[in-house]
Amino acid sequence: DYAMLREVLRRRFKRSTHQASDTTASDTWAVLPNLILIDGGKGQLNAALEVLSEYGLDHLPIFGLAKRQEEVYVPGQDRPICLPRDSQGLYLIQRVRDEAHRFAIAAHRQARRKSGLASTLEAIPGVGPQRRKALLVAFGSLDAIRAASLEQLVAVPGITRNVAVRIKESL
């Protein structure tokens, strides 16, 4: 999805000061990458190049790797580079791509898990973000909240007896 790729790159480069010398230890996003490897072909590469141009980062080296034929797309070249199947360079690029996929999938699963838990608790009348947070701090998981007695729920700061009854009925 070109729009999502643009959005991710805009978020990444919006935080950049364009000068590593101004970067503090807590602001690692300000450091520019030495290389950008895009997962995709010519279209994805062009979308990324648009964003780099918006931020004045046209000088950064960037390549696209299309999955089907494992072709490497280079800005300004009409035809992709086809590395030999037994090339160590191709293996390295594939491993980088596969690690990025693994990382993205893990982050996506974690976000879904958190949002699922939040929506389950916040669907209960009287339980909003603050009470949800207090419950999770006190019990650690939805299963532990389910297993808690009415008295244990009422002992959580901000949870009234009526809300505790609703939680027990809902879970």
Side-chain angles (χ1 to χ4, degrees):
D1 181 14
Y2 302 133
M4 183 59 73
L5 178 61
R6 286 185 193 100
E7 175 66 22
V8 167
L9 290 172
R10 283 186 182 113
R11 282 191 215 166
R12 166 59 178 94
F13 292 117
K14 185 187 292 186
R15 299 191 227 177
S16 173
T17 63
H18 308 301
Q19 293 183 5
S21 61
D22 295 342
T23 304
T24 64
S26 64
D27 192 16
T28 57
W29 287 104
V31 177
L32 294 174
N34 294 320
L35 172 69
I36 300 169
L37 181 60
I38 299 297
D39 183 16
K42 198 172 206 168
Q44 287 85 355
L45 180 61
N46 286 331
L49 286 168
E50 287 174 26
V51 175
L52 291 179
S53 180
E54 286 175 27
Y55 287 92
L57 299 172
D58 307 270
H59 63 282
L60 291 177
I62 182 170
F63 302 96
L65 178 63
K67 195 177 273 185
R68 183 178 297 163
Q69 297 296 323
E70 303 291 8
E71 300 166 321
V72 178
Y73 286 85
V74 180
Q77 291 186 14
D78 290 333
R79 300 184 65 183
I81 298 170
C82 294
L83 297 173
R85 291 277 173 224
D86 60 351
S87 164
Q88 291 299 311
L90 178 61
Y91 293 152
L92 174 64
I93 293 170
Q94 289 170 330
R95 285 193 301 268
V96 169
R97 181 202 51 220
D98 294 346
E99 179 62 16
H101 280 181
R102 186 196 65 74
F103 182 83
I105 289 168
H108 183 68
R109 283 183 184 151
Q110 183 178 7
R112 271 198 333 229
R113 195 170 26 248
K114 283 183 180 179
S115 70
L117 180 60
S119 63
T120 300
L121 289 173
E122 290 181 16
I124 301 169
V127 178
Q130 288 186 344
R131 285 182 171 159
R132 173 186 55 86
K133 184 177 178 183
L135 287 164
L136 291 174
V137 167
F139 297 104
S141 72
L142 190 57
D143 288 334
I145 296 168
R146 269 191 199 105
S149 70
L150 201 58
E151 289 73 28
Q152 289 172 315
L153 291 171
V154 172
V156 174
I159 303 297
T160 64
R161 187 158 198 81
N162 287 339
V163 171
V165 168
R166 280 189 237 128
I167 290 169
K168 290 302 283 180
E169 289 172 351
S170 298
L171 297 179

